Amino acid sequence: MGACAAVVTVGAHAAAGGVIPLGGRLVASMLVCAIVGALLSAVPLEGRRGRILGVVGALTVAQSLGHLTLMASAPHHHGDTLGVTPMMAAAHLAAAVVLGVAITTVEYLYVVCESVLCWLRLFAMRALRPAARMLALTTNVVVAQSVPRCSGLGMRAPPRRAALAS
């Protein structure tokens, strides 16, 4: 918003008969607009109407401060006290409204596209999943067997000598 406000400030200023700033005046105007844009990003704006009014208001403030910065660095004479003719005020206000509506519309469309892409990702990820492979597992079956039937697998007694010696 700050960069757009700086561009529109200079454009509306030049379109209404003002001088196109160069060098330090341009940088100062851009910094003022960037600061207003940074302050706007900290304000929570709820609802579509609130966002539009907040962005248009911030753009109006940014352009006003940008215009004052341009006047302070190199004053120009338009016949009014603040150097603002009705034509320049109308150009700045129209630029703020058009740009504010464009910014909020793009933000809204971004949210819509993000939502659609999230839903599409759910279906696309399901189709891309590879088929599960069945692994052949070998297991050793351990079963208790009867001692009389399998003489070698039963419990082992102590040797005879050890049993007799005791």
Side-chain angles (χ1 to χ4, degrees):
M1 199 266 344
C4 291
V7 170
V8 170
T9 298
V10 172
H13 188 77
V19 179
I20 297 176
L22 299 173
R25 293 186 303 161
L26 181 61
V27 171
S29 176
M30 291 175 80
L31 284 175
V32 167
C33 292
I35 289 170
V36 173
L39 292 175
L40 177 68
S41 69
V43 177
L45 300 173
E46 298 296 327
R48 189 165 168 102
R49 178 173 285 155
R51 282 190 209 110
I52 289 175
L53 292 176
V55 172
V56 169
L59 284 167
T60 304
V61 169
Q63 288 187 41
S64 299
L65 292 175
H67 183 79
L68 289 175
T69 303
L70 292 175
M71 280 183 42
S73 60
H76 49 277
H77 304 287
H78 295 292
D80 291 342
T81 56
L82 292 176
V84 179
T85 63
M87 184 174 153
M88 187 172 290
H92 281 295
L93 187 60
V97 170
V98 169
L99 186 60
V101 170
I103 287 173
T104 54
T105 302
V106 168
E107 286 177 349
Y108 177 74
L109 291 175
Y110 176 79
V111 170
V112 169
C113 290
E114 181 184 23
S115 175
V116 168
L117 289 176
C118 283
W119 280 102
L120 288 176
R121 183 180 59 93
L122 290 174
F123 294 110
M125 294 302 288
R126 186 170 226 190
L128 295 177
R129 193 174 289 171
R133 295 184 296 160
M134 294 299 293
L135 297 176
L137 297 175
T138 57
T139 58
N140 294 333
V141 179
V142 178
V143 179
Q145 297 183 4
S146 169
V147 174
R149 288 183 19 186
C150 300
S151 62
L153 298 176
M155 292 185 53
R156 186 169 170 198
R160 256 182 220 246
R161 282 189 210 162
L164 293 175
S166 45

